[in-house]
C-alpha cells in the first residue's frame, strides 16, 4: 500500500515535469497540484525538491542521460529518467531503491520500457565519473551549471569578473516573502502574529518580510489580502515612485497587479490607472480591483506603446517592463531554457517603445520609475543611456536603496539589486524626471 502511494507521487512528478516542459511555470503548476491533491507536508517538500533539482540541473542531467543512450523517444520515460538521475546524484537516497522504483513506474507508463529504464540508470550510475571527465572543455560551464551556451557567453561579456558567481547564485533556492499593509496592521502586531504561527523572520525590508515557512497562508490576514506575496525588490521599485497625495499615476505594464496594489497601499494618489496588453491579465487586475475596492483605482486594457490612448497626463509612471526575467531565475528556473539572444533584442526594442510612449504622456516635472527583473545590461543600463541621449529634458534621479541591500549603481544612476543578496530577486531600478 505504502509502495503504491509512493509510485503515485512519482507518477505525479513525471506528469508535473512534463507539463512544465510544455510551457507551464513550475511554481504555478506545483501550487495547482498541491491544491488538487491531499499530499502531506513531507510529500510536498519532496515533490518541490525533485522538480527544482531537475529543472535547475536539466542540461547536466540530460548530458548524463545522453551519454548512456542515444535517444529517449517516450517523453514521460525521459522525465522519469531525469527524476531518477536527480535523486541519484543530487539527493540523499538509496540508489538501488531509486532504480527499482523507476522500473516499477516505467511498467505503469509503458510496460516495454522497464528494462530500458533500469539499464540506462545502471549505466549512468556506473559511469558518472567517466562521463564527468568527458564533458567537452568548451561547454563545461554550460553543462555543469546547466545554462544554455549562448547565455554563458553573454554573461562572460556582461560580467567578466563575477559571471560564474552570478550563474551559481541564480541556481540557489528562493524564499517566501510577504508584504503587510501598514494601513491595516501595525508592524508590532504583524511580528507578534508571526511569532504565534511559529514563523521566523529571515530578513526584512520595510513592510516586506522573508519567512522561514508558509504558515502565514492559513492566517486571516493573508486570506483577506492585508498581507500579500511580494518581493522586496518589487516593493523598492514602488517605494521609489514616491507618489505625493493627489497625484495621477500610471502603472503601464501592471498585471497581475502586485505593484499596483503596493502603490495604493503605500501612497494616496488621486488616481491610479493600471493597464496591461493582455485581456486575460486585465481580468486579474479587475479581480484585484473588486477585491480591494479602491475608488481611485482604474483598470484598462491598453498597449503601453500607445499610452496616448488613455488621454491623460501623468505625474508618476511606473514602467515595470516585460523583460527576460533573469533576476527571478531562483523562482522560475525553467525560464532560461526557452530564452534566446533574439528574445532579449526584441524585448529591448519593446522597452524603448514603451518608454517613448510614457515620456509623451508625462507632465513636465513628472517622474518615471523604470524597472525590470533582469540583470541583462541591454535591457537596463543601455536603454537608460539611450533615453538620456534622446531626451535632453530628462534627468536621472537618485534611487534610494536601504544600506543592508547589496547593489551596484551603473554610470547613469540606475541600481542593480545584486545577486549577492540571498533573499531579494535580481532587479534593476532607475528613476528619471522630465524637467
Ligand atoms: C513584469 S510583468 C509586470 C508585473 C507587474 N508589474 C506586477 O508587479 O504584478 C510585465 C507585464 O507587461 C505586460 N506587457 C507586455 N507587453 C505589454 C505592452 N505592450 N503593453 C502593456 N503591457 C504589456 C505583460 O502582460 C506583463 O503582465
Amino acid at each position: 500500500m505504502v509502495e503504491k502511494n509512493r509510485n503515485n507521487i512519482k507518477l505525479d512528478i513525471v506528469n508535473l515535469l512534463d507539463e512544465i516542459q510544455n510551457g507551464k511555470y513550475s511554481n504555478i503548476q506545483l501550487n495547482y497540484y498541491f491544491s488538487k491533491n491531499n499530499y502531506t507536508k513531507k510529500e510536498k517538500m519532496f515533490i518541490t525538491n525533485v522538480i527544482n533539482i531537475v529543472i535547475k540541473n536539466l542540461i547536466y542531467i540530460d548530458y548524463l542521460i545522453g551519454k548512456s543512450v542515444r535517444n529517449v523517444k517516450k517523453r514521460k520515460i525521459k522525465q522519469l529518467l531525469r527524476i531518477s538521475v536527480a535523486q541519484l546524484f543530487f539527493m540523499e537516497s538509496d540508489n538501488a531503491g531509486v532504480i527499482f522504483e523507476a522500473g516499477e513506474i516505467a511498467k505503469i507508463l509503458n510496460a516495454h520500457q522497464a528494462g530500458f529504464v533500469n539499464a540506462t540508470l545502471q549505466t549512468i550510475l556506473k559511469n558518472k565519473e567517466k562521463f564527468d571527465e568527458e564533458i567537452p572543455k568548451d561547454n563545461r560551464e554550460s553543462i555543469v551549471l546547466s545554462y544554455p551556451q549562448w547565455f554563458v557567453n553573454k554573461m562572460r561579456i556582461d560580467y567578466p569578473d563575477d559571471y560564474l558567481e552570478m550563474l551559481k547564485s541564480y541556481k540557489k533556492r528562493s524564499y517566501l516573502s510577504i508584504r503587510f499593509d501598514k494601513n491595516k496592521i501595525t508592524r508590532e502586531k504583524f511580528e507578534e502574529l508571526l511569532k504565534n504561527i511559529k514563523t521566523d523572520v529571515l530578513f526584512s525590508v520595510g513592510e516586506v518580510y522573508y519567512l522561514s515557512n508558509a504558515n502565514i497562508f492559513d492566517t486571516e490576514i493573508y486570506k483577506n489580502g492585508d498581507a500579500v506575496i511580494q518581493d522586496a525588490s518589487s516593493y523598492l521599485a514602488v517605494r521609489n515612485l514616491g507618489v505625493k497625495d493627489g497625484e495621477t499615476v500610471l502603472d503601464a505594464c501592471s498585471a497581475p497587479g502586485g505593484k499596483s496594489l503596493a502603490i495604493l497601499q503605500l501612497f494616496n494618489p488621486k488616481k491610479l490607472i493600471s493597464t496591461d496588453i493582455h485581456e486575460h491579465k486585465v481580468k486579474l487586475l479587475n479581480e484585484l480591483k473588486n477585491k480591494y475596492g479602491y475608488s481611485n483605482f482604474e483598470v484598462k486594457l491598453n498597449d503601453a506603446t500607445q499610452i496616448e490612448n488613455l488621454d491623460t497626463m501623468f505625474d508618476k509612471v511606473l514602467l515595470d517592463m516585460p523583460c527576460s526575467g533573469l533576476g527571478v531565475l531562483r523562482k522560475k528556473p525553467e525560464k532560461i531554457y526557452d530564452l534566446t539572444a533574439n528574445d532579449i533584442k526584441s524585448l529591448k526594442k519593446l522597452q524603448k517603445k514603451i518608454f517613448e510612449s510614457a515620456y509623451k504622456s508625462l507632465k513636465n516635472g513628472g517622474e518615471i520609475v523604470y524597472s525590470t527583473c533582469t540583470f541583462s545590461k541591454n535591457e537596463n543600463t543601455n536603454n537608460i543611456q539611450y533615453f538620456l541621449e534622446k531626451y535632453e529634458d530628462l534627468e536621472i534621479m537618485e534611487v534610494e536603496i536601504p544600506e543592508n541591500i547589496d547593489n551596484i549603481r551603473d554610470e547613469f544612476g540606475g541600481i542593480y539589486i545584486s545577486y549577492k543578496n540571498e533573499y531579494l530577486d535580481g532587479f534593476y531600478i532607475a528613476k528619471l524626471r522630465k524637467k
Side-chain angles (χ1 to χ4, degrees), residues 230 234 238 251-261 275-282 285 288 300-307 318-323 332 335 347 350 353-354 371-373 427:
Q230 183 152 65
S234 292
V238 172
D251 184 359
C253 306
S254 64
K259 295 188 190 66
S260 289
L261 185 64
T275 63
D276 203 278
I277 195 169
H278 297 297
E279 214 153 322
H280 67 281
K281 292 195 175 186
V282 168
L285 292 169
L288 197 78
K300 289 190 174 159
L301 177 71
N302 193 52
D303 180 347
T305 63
Q306 287 167 29
I307 294 174
L318 175 62
L319 297 179
D320 187 39
M321 292 292 189
C323 73
K332 296 178 182 167
K335 254 197 122 162
L347 282 163
L350 175 63
K353 277 175 92 174
I354 291 177
S371 66
T372 71
C373 56
F427 226 76

